[in-house]
Amino acid sequence: MTGRHLSTAKIASALRHAGQQRYIDARAVKIRDTVRAEHLQAPTVIADAMGAAVAALVGVLLEINRQIATLETELAARLDQRVQG
């Protein structure tokens, strides 16, 4: 779901969840109107290229997170061995 499709109630709920306490309804309406307004768009070929770049970066970040989890597991096991030994 894109921002264009968010209801005012969902935007207001997100603002409350983020800790906003004042003028929530007015802010939600302003945000809704802003995301639904017409904006300049990049040509399709540029947008597609940017999408491919983002997808590749997400893949890199997922792999980094996997490697960090593996390292964490190995280090914890080795530290446990050292403490026990």
Side-chain angles (χ1 to χ4, degrees):
M1 174 182 289
T2 64
R4 280 181 192 257
H5 298 96
L6 288 174
S7 68
T8 305
K10 286 188 179 185
I11 296 169
S13 176
L15 289 171
R16 282 186 194 92
H17 185 72
Q20 296 291 316
Q21 296 177 355
R22 294 180 161 188
Y23 312 112
I24 292 173
D25 292 332
R27 285 183 185 170
V29 168
K30 187 173 182 178
I31 290 169
R32 183 204 60 207
D33 291 346
T34 300
V35 297
R36 289 184 181 175
E38 289 294 320
H39 300 284
L40 294 177
Q41 294 183 350
T44 303
V45 68
I46 301 296
D48 290 347
M50 292 175 87
V54 168
L57 289 172
V58 168
V60 169
L61 291 172
L62 290 171
E63 179 60 22
I64 288 171
N65 283 335
R66 191 184 70 73
Q67 292 290 330
I68 289 170
T70 301
L71 179 60
E72 181 180 22
T73 301
E74 281 194 35
L75 289 175
R78 291 182 189 259
L79 288 174
D80 284 345
Q81 287 175 357
R82 185 175 174 142
V83 169
Q84 293 174 1

